mmCIF file of all heavy atoms in Angstrom:
data_model
loop_
_atom_site.group_PDB
_atom_site.id
_atom_site.type_symbol
_atom_site.label_atom_id
_atom_site.label_comp_id
_atom_site.label_asym_id
_atom_site.label_seq_id
_atom_site.Cartn_x
_atom_site.Cartn_y
_atom_site.Cartn_z
ATOM 1 N N GLU A 1045 107.656 -192.525 116.280
ATOM 2 C CA GLU A 1045 106.335 -192.072 116.732
ATOM 3 C C GLU A 1045 105.342 -192.069 115.571
ATOM 4 O O GLU A 1045 105.713 -191.916 114.405
ATOM 5 C CB GLU A 1045 106.427 -190.675 117.344
ATOM 6 C CG GLU A 1045 107.094 -190.644 118.706
ATOM 7 C CD GLU A 1045 106.988 -189.281 119.376
ATOM 8 O OE1 GLU A 1045 106.908 -188.253 118.665
ATOM 9 O OE2 GLU A 1045 106.992 -189.249 120.621
ATOM 10 N N ILE A 1046 104.057 -192.239 115.921
ATOM 11 C CA ILE A 1046 103.003 -192.305 114.905
ATOM 12 C C ILE A 1046 102.704 -190.902 114.368
ATOM 13 O O ILE A 1046 102.463 -189.968 115.133
ATOM 14 C CB ILE A 1046 101.726 -192.932 115.491
ATOM 15 C CG1 ILE A 1046 101.974 -194.402 115.847
ATOM 16 C CG2 ILE A 1046 100.569 -192.829 114.491
ATOM 17 C CD1 ILE A 1046 100.814 -195.071 116.552
ATOM 18 N N LEU A 1047 102.724 -190.801 113.057
ATOM 19 C CA LEU A 1047 102.361 -189.557 112.391
ATOM 20 C C LEU A 1047 100.899 -189.559 111.951
ATOM 21 O O LEU A 1047 100.210 -188.546 112.048
ATOM 22 C CB LEU A 1047 103.249 -189.333 111.158
ATOM 23 C CG LEU A 1047 104.761 -189.294 111.395
ATOM 24 C CD1 LEU A 1047 105.488 -189.131 110.072
ATOM 25 C CD2 LEU A 1047 105.106 -188.154 112.340
ATOM 26 N N VAL A 1048 100.439 -190.706 111.433
ATOM 27 C CA VAL A 1048 99.061 -190.849 110.983
ATOM 28 C C VAL A 1048 98.551 -192.201 111.470
ATOM 29 O O VAL A 1048 99.166 -193.226 111.206
ATOM 30 C CB VAL A 1048 98.951 -190.772 109.443
ATOM 31 C CG1 VAL A 1048 97.486 -190.889 109.020
ATOM 32 C CG2 VAL A 1048 99.562 -189.487 108.908
ATOM 33 N N LYS A 1049 97.428 -192.194 112.169
ATOM 34 C CA LYS A 1049 96.858 -193.439 112.655
ATOM 35 C C LYS A 1049 96.076 -194.148 111.555
ATOM 36 O O LYS A 1049 95.483 -193.521 110.683
ATOM 37 C CB LYS A 1049 95.944 -193.161 113.852
ATOM 38 C CG LYS A 1049 96.697 -192.758 115.106
ATOM 39 C CD LYS A 1049 95.753 -192.648 116.290
ATOM 40 C CE LYS A 1049 96.517 -192.329 117.565
ATOM 41 N NZ LYS A 1049 95.609 -192.217 118.736
ATOM 42 N N ALA A 1050 96.056 -195.466 111.621
ATOM 43 C CA ALA A 1050 95.279 -196.279 110.682
ATOM 44 C C ALA A 1050 93.803 -195.943 110.800
ATOM 45 O O ALA A 1050 93.337 -195.475 111.836
ATOM 46 C CB ALA A 1050 95.510 -197.762 110.959
ATOM 47 N N GLY A 1051 93.081 -196.191 109.711
ATOM 48 C CA GLY A 1051 91.637 -195.976 109.725
ATOM 49 C C GLY A 1051 91.198 -194.660 109.125
ATOM 50 O O GLY A 1051 90.004 -194.419 108.974
ATOM 51 N N GLN A 1052 92.146 -193.820 108.771
ATOM 52 C CA GLN A 1052 91.788 -192.521 108.194
ATOM 53 C C GLN A 1052 91.656 -192.608 106.671
ATOM 54 O O GLN A 1052 92.315 -193.415 106.020
ATOM 55 C CB GLN A 1052 92.836 -191.478 108.551
ATOM 56 C CG GLN A 1052 92.980 -191.239 110.051
ATOM 57 C CD GLN A 1052 93.816 -190.017 110.340
ATOM 58 O OE1 GLN A 1052 93.587 -188.940 109.804
ATOM 59 N NE2 GLN A 1052 94.814 -190.176 111.200
ATOM 60 N N ILE A 1053 90.795 -191.748 106.131
ATOM 61 C CA ILE A 1053 90.705 -191.626 104.676
ATOM 62 C C ILE A 1053 91.934 -190.864 104.197
ATOM 63 O O ILE A 1053 92.268 -189.799 104.724
ATOM 64 C CB ILE A 1053 89.416 -190.903 104.269
ATOM 65 C CG1 ILE A 1053 88.199 -191.744 104.671
ATOM 66 C CG2 ILE A 1053 89.399 -190.640 102.762
ATOM 67 C CD1 ILE A 1053 86.876 -191.066 104.434
ATOM 68 N N ILE A 1054 92.613 -191.409 103.230
ATOM 69 C CA ILE A 1054 93.882 -190.828 102.782
ATOM 70 C C ILE A 1054 93.621 -189.549 101.997
ATOM 71 O O ILE A 1054 92.953 -189.558 100.966
ATOM 72 C CB ILE A 1054 94.678 -191.850 101.951
ATOM 73 C CG1 ILE A 1054 95.026 -193.070 102.828
ATOM 74 C CG2 ILE A 1054 95.941 -191.227 101.377
ATOM 75 C CD1 ILE A 1054 95.668 -194.213 102.071
ATOM 76 N N SER A 1055 94.162 -188.466 102.511
ATOM 77 C CA SER A 1055 93.997 -187.136 101.933
ATOM 78 C C SER A 1055 95.301 -186.713 101.264
ATOM 79 O O SER A 1055 96.336 -187.372 101.420
ATOM 80 C CB SER A 1055 93.650 -186.141 103.047
ATOM 81 O OG SER A 1055 94.744 -186.049 103.964
ATOM 82 N N PRO A 1056 95.281 -185.596 100.535
ATOM 83 C CA PRO A 1056 96.546 -185.088 99.993
ATOM 84 C C PRO A 1056 97.592 -184.847 101.080
ATOM 85 O O PRO A 1056 98.784 -185.087 100.860
ATOM 86 C CB PRO A 1056 96.129 -183.780 99.308
ATOM 87 C CG PRO A 1056 94.715 -184.027 98.888
ATOM 88 C CD PRO A 1056 94.120 -184.846 100.003
ATOM 89 N N ALA A 1057 97.157 -184.392 102.262
ATOM 90 C CA ALA A 1057 98.099 -184.164 103.360
ATOM 91 C C ALA A 1057 98.751 -185.468 103.805
ATOM 92 O O ALA A 1057 99.964 -185.518 104.071
ATOM 93 C CB ALA A 1057 97.382 -183.503 104.537
ATOM 94 N N ILE A 1058 97.974 -186.543 103.897
ATOM 95 C CA ILE A 1058 98.520 -187.835 104.321
ATOM 96 C C ILE A 1058 99.477 -188.383 103.272
ATOM 97 O O ILE A 1058 100.518 -188.964 103.608
ATOM 98 C CB ILE A 1058 97.375 -188.824 104.614
ATOM 99 C CG1 ILE A 1058 96.622 -188.381 105.883
ATOM 100 C CG2 ILE A 1058 97.903 -190.255 104.778
ATOM 101 C CD1 ILE A 1058 95.399 -189.222 106.204
#
Side-chain angles (χ1 to χ4, degrees):
E1045 287 188 332
I1046 294 175
L1047 303 177
V1048 181
K1049 289 186 176 180
Q1052 299 191 51
I1053 295 175
I1054 298 173
S1055 64
I1058 291 175

